[in-house]
Amino acid sequence: MSKSKSTKIHLSNGKMLHRFVALNLEESDGSLYITLLREGKISEATVFDSESGEKNGIKFDNGRPKRKKISYHASGRINYHNTNHPPNYCEPISEISQLNLLQIYSVPSIEKLDQIDNLNEDDCIFEPEIKEGRIDFCLYLAPWDTLININHVAVRYKNMFSLIISAQHPNSEWTKGLDNHFITVAPKTGFYTEQKISNEQALISFHQMLHSTKNIIVYSPNREGIYKIIFAVPMRRAPDMSIELHDENYNCEIVSANTAVVTFKVRDKHKNVIKTEMPIKSILASAEL
């Protein structure tokens, strides 16, 4: 399996292209990383509470990166990096059934974003209907085939989920007195107050979604010759493993084991790691207490 799927979304105002968002889906653990692209650092920021209406200034002695990262994990936990916002909890990646609002990103104007000259083959270009002035971008995770009737761009991960970014006129409540600021607004809470499922179940469910199965999954060896086994359900403890190959001249060596995943290598009689795939005869996992 590939380690990640990456793409970038750039904005066009009809004249120039500007850096906007980078996406990276880590297929090893089912985490989606969304980066709001801006170069450089800021020395101060303003924190706004929509309930109280209070605005408080914060100064950073060593600066803080302008770019912001959101990580949506397989369990549904959302982390907001380079901000003061605590985690939110929404639907697990394998159970996306509705629009999950991640964040609103308010940009004073497209021209304020960094310009780009070159595109990669997999890059997307989004030209919002609003060409001038402030724009609010709403970021959602949604079912992969979701259709909405507003100005938007969607990156679809077939049979899994989609990231939808809509463009709309700004909310003056957030932007009052912050005309030249880049503003990130996150929901105070998600759908849940804590993770809906465990990290182990989230990992298993993500890989089962990838392969449309509820059974055990065995991945071929990577460049280091390491196989990966994803269990069908979480074990009560890290199991005792017995892996038998068709060729008895080779032995399996467990590299790591936990309640969701086991990795192993195949060695020959000289203890050399075999990096080509060897046919497996049987796999037995025992997790009795």
Side-chain angles (χ1 to χ4, degrees):
M1 63 180 296
S2 61
K3 292 184 178 180
S4 64
K5 291 183 177 179
S6 302
T7 191
K8 290 181 180 178
I9 302 172
H10 306 300
L11 293 181
S12 172
N13 61 358
K15 302 174 184 177
M16 298 292 297
L17 293 178
H18 299 263
R19 290 187 179 87
F20 183 41
V21 171
L23 306 177
N24 188 57
L25 175 62
E26 291 290 343
E27 290 192 338
S28 60
D29 65 3
S31 297
L32 178 67
Y33 293 91
I34 305 162
T35 305
L36 308 176
L37 298 172
R38 289 178 67 208
E39 296 299 323
K41 292 185 176 183
I42 57 173
S43 59
E44 58 183 56
T46 299
V47 177
F48 170 68
D49 187 322
S50 62
E51 292 185 351
S52 65
E54 293 183 0
K55 293 180 181 178
N56 297 307
I58 302 175
K59 294 186 180 295
F60 308 106
D61 293 337
N62 299 316
R64 187 168 74 179
K66 291 182 179 179
R67 66 174 53 197
K68 300 290 184 287
K69 181 183 288 185
I70 307 165
S71 55
Y72 196 116
H73 298 276
S75 64
R77 177 186 172 111
I78 307 171
N79 291 330
Y80 299 93
H81 306 263
N82 293 332
T83 73
N84 297 329
H85 200 288
N88 277 342
Y89 301 97
C90 285
E91 294 179 311
I93 285 280
S94 60
E95 300 178 16
I96 301 295
S97 64
Q98 58 190 307
L99 289 174
N100 291 256
L101 177 62
L102 308 182
Q103 192 169 71
I104 297 172
Y105 183 37
S106 186
V107 176
S109 68
I110 293 176
E111 291 81 5
K112 297 285 187 179
L113 292 164
D114 301 325
Q115 292 185 11
I116 61 168
D117 298 318
N118 300 313
L119 293 175
N120 295 321
E121 183 178 352
D122 295 330
D123 290 353
C124 301
I125 298 176
F126 178 31
E127 185 170 348
E129 294 175 354
I130 304 170
K131 297 291 191 297
E132 298 181 357
R134 181 173 289 278
I135 308 176
D136 283 359
F137 294 98
C138 298
L139 285 70
Y140 302 93
L141 218 61
W144 82 271
D145 55 355
T146 296
L147 300 176
I148 59 175
N149 295 318
I150 56 177
N151 186 217
H152 73 283
V153 62
V155 176
R156 304 186 187 280
Y157 299 85
K158 189 174 182 179
N159 296 325
M160 293 192 288
F161 59 86
S162 62
L163 177 78
I164 296 176
I165 304 177
S166 66
Q168 59 192 44
H169 290 285
N171 185 321
S172 59
E173 178 185 4
W174 301 330
T175 60
K176 186 177 181 181
L178 302 171
D179 295 342
N180 295 313
H181 287 63
F182 286 79
I183 302 171
T184 53
V185 182
K188 194 149 192 175
T189 60
F191 291 146
Y192 311 105
T193 56
E194 58 185 15
Q195 281 188 198
K196 183 181 178 183
I197 60 177
S198 68
N199 291 335
E200 294 76 17
Q201 183 61 66
L203 176 69
I204 291 172
S205 296
F206 172 75
H207 284 275
Q208 290 177 338
M209 176 179 63
L210 275 180
H211 297 280
S212 300
T213 184
K214 292 296 184 181
N215 297 322
I216 189 172
I217 298 167
V218 181
Y219 286 108
S220 300
N222 61 17
R223 293 180 180 179
E224 287 72 44
I226 297 177
Y227 296 71
K228 180 182 289 186
I229 299 174
I230 309 292
F231 300 131
V233 295
M235 297 287 184
R236 299 179 67 180
R237 63 171 177 81
D240 301 319
M241 297 294 301
S242 175
I243 305 169
E244 186 179 0
L245 302 176
H246 282 283
D247 192 330
E248 296 180 355
N249 293 312
Y250 298 88
N251 295 310
C252 294
E253 175 187 295
I254 302 301
V255 176
S256 65
N258 58 41
T259 58
V261 182
V262 164
T263 61
F264 68 94
K265 292 180 179 180
V266 173
R267 294 185 184 273
D268 62 18
K269 61 183 180 180
H270 302 294
K271 304 299 182 181
N272 297 312
V273 175
I274 307 303
K275 297 183 180 180
T276 56
E277 188 167 5
M278 301 292 293
I280 297 173
K281 184 177 181 179
S282 66
I283 297 173
L284 176 64
S286 175
E288 295 181 1
L289 295 178

